[in-house]
Amino acid sequence: MKKHSILTMSCLIAAACQAGLALAADKPHWRYSGPHGPEHWSTLDPEFKVCATGKNQSPINLTAAVEGELAPLALHYRPAGASVVNDGHSVQVNYQPGSYITLDGEPFELKQFHFHTPSENLIQGESFPLEGHFVHADKNGSLAVIAVMFKEGKANQALASIWPHIPTKAGETATLQQPVDASQILPQAQDYYRFSGSLTTPPCSEGVRWLVMKSPQTLSEKQISDLMKIIKHSNNRPVQPLNGRVVVAS
C-alpha cells in the first residue's frame, strides 16, 4: 500500500471500522443490487474508481493455492466490551481496544468484526451461508482481515450471545451487556490462506492483508435465518479476478 498522510490513514481506518468495511458516511449511497450495486460502484464517486480499475480486489475464489511457510496465527485476543451495530449494509460488532494479532512482525489491533451472507470469498468454488470478517489495523493504518466461513450445522454458542441483541432497524446500536470473546468465534484448527486484496465495499482500497481460515465454523439454520431477517438482503460482493496474484496456503 502507498504511504498516506496521517489524515488519510485515519480515514481509511474509519472506513474499515464500518460494517462490510464500508465508509462511515454513505455518500453517495451504494447498495448490493440495482443501479447502485457492485457493478456500478466505480461510477458513484471518483473515490470509488478503484472498485473497477484495481488489480488486487477482494473477494476472490481461493483455488490453486501454493503451499508455503506461513507462520501460525499469532492471536492475542481477550474478552472485551463491545457494541453491535446495524448500519443497513451489515451487522458489525465494535470491539474495545486490547486485542491484536502479530503479523509480519507488527501488532494489528482488532477493531471490529462483521458478517456477510452468503460468503464473499469462495473456497475451491464453494460458497458458505455466512462469512465473518475480523478487521485489524496497525499503527500506520495498514489493514489485515481474518475471514471465517460458517456452514449450517450445530448452533454457534459464541454467536448466540450476540444474535439476540442485534438491532432490527438500520442505524441503531446496542451495547452488549456481557464481554465478547472473539477468539471463541474462530476455529480451533487455524490453517489459513493468505493473499493481498482490498476492502470489499467502496472505496475498495487495496493493500489489505487477507487471512482466510480453511476450517469453517457452524451455526444453526435459525441463526442464519434470524440474521437474514435483520439484514433483509444478501450483502456479498461478487468474486473478483486474481490478476496473477498468488494465494499461499499454510
Side-chain angles (χ1 to χ4, degrees):
M1 182 184 287
K2 294 180 180 179
K3 291 185 178 179
H4 299 268
S5 67
I6 294 176
L7 177 60
T8 302
M9 278 302 182
S10 297
C11 291
L12 184 57
I13 294 175
C17 288
Q18 296 303 311
L21 303 182
L23 285 173
D26 268 343
K27 234 172 162 181
H29 190 68
W30 55 269
R31 298 182 184 275
Y32 282 99
S33 62
H36 295 102
E39 63 271 30
H40 304 292
W41 286 350
S42 64
T43 68
L44 300 178
D45 188 284
E47 293 184 3
F48 297 174
K49 66 180 181 179
V50 73
C51 296
T53 62
K55 300 301 182 182
N56 295 291
Q57 290 289 289
S58 296
I60 63 171
N61 183 11
L62 293 146
T63 60
V66 175
E67 295 295 328
E69 296 295 327
L70 292 177
L73 282 184
L75 295 173
H76 308 277
Y77 286 178
R78 64 185 186 187
S83 59
V84 59
V85 181
N86 176 352
D87 79 343
H89 293 308
S90 183
V91 167
Q92 173 178 304
V93 177
N94 293 323
Y95 215 72
Q96 290 187 358
S99 295
Y100 64 98
I101 61 171
T102 302
L103 186 64
D104 302 330
E106 297 293 333
F108 285 72
E109 185 173 71
L110 176 61
K111 298 294 185 178
Q112 50 98 338
F113 56 90
H114 62 268
F115 301 95
H116 295 269
T117 178
S119 68
E120 296 201 297
N121 292 290
L122 307 180
I123 297 181
Q124 301 296 331
E126 181 180 0
S127 174
F128 293 81
L130 188 73
E131 180 176 349
H133 290 166
F134 295 72
V135 182
H136 309 73
D138 72 3
K139 63 183 179 181
N140 298 314
S142 295
L143 302 176
V145 179
I146 295 178
V148 179
M149 303 298 178
F150 294 84
K151 63 182 181 180
E152 185 177 331
K154 189 177 180 181
N156 189 295
Q157 295 305 312
L159 299 182
S161 65
I162 299 173
W163 255 223
H165 305 287
I166 298 173
T168 57
K169 294 182 179 180
E172 292 185 343
T173 300
T175 300
L176 300 176
Q177 299 304 310
Q178 300 296 326
V180 173
D181 188 352
S183 67
Q184 297 302 305
I185 306 175
L186 271 60
Q188 290 185 351
Q190 295 189 341
D191 289 340
Y192 63 95
Y193 302 95
R194 178 170 177 172
F195 66 95
S196 179
S198 71
L199 305 181
T200 65
T201 62
C204 306
S205 306
E206 297 186 338
V208 179
R209 302 174 218 204
W210 279 87
L211 313 173
V212 179
M213 307 302 292
K214 288 184 176 181
S215 298
Q217 295 283 63
T218 65
L219 75 170
S220 68
E221 187 280 331
K222 185 177 187 303
Q223 287 178 313
I224 297 171
S225 62
D226 285 349
L227 185 64
M228 281 300 298
K229 288 176 183 175
I230 292 172
I231 298 179
K232 297 183 174 63
H233 56 79
S234 296
N235 64 343
N236 62 313
R237 185 190 191 190
V239 294
Q240 303 297 302
L242 271 177
N243 292 323
R245 281 177 286 174
V246 174
V247 177
V248 182
S250 60

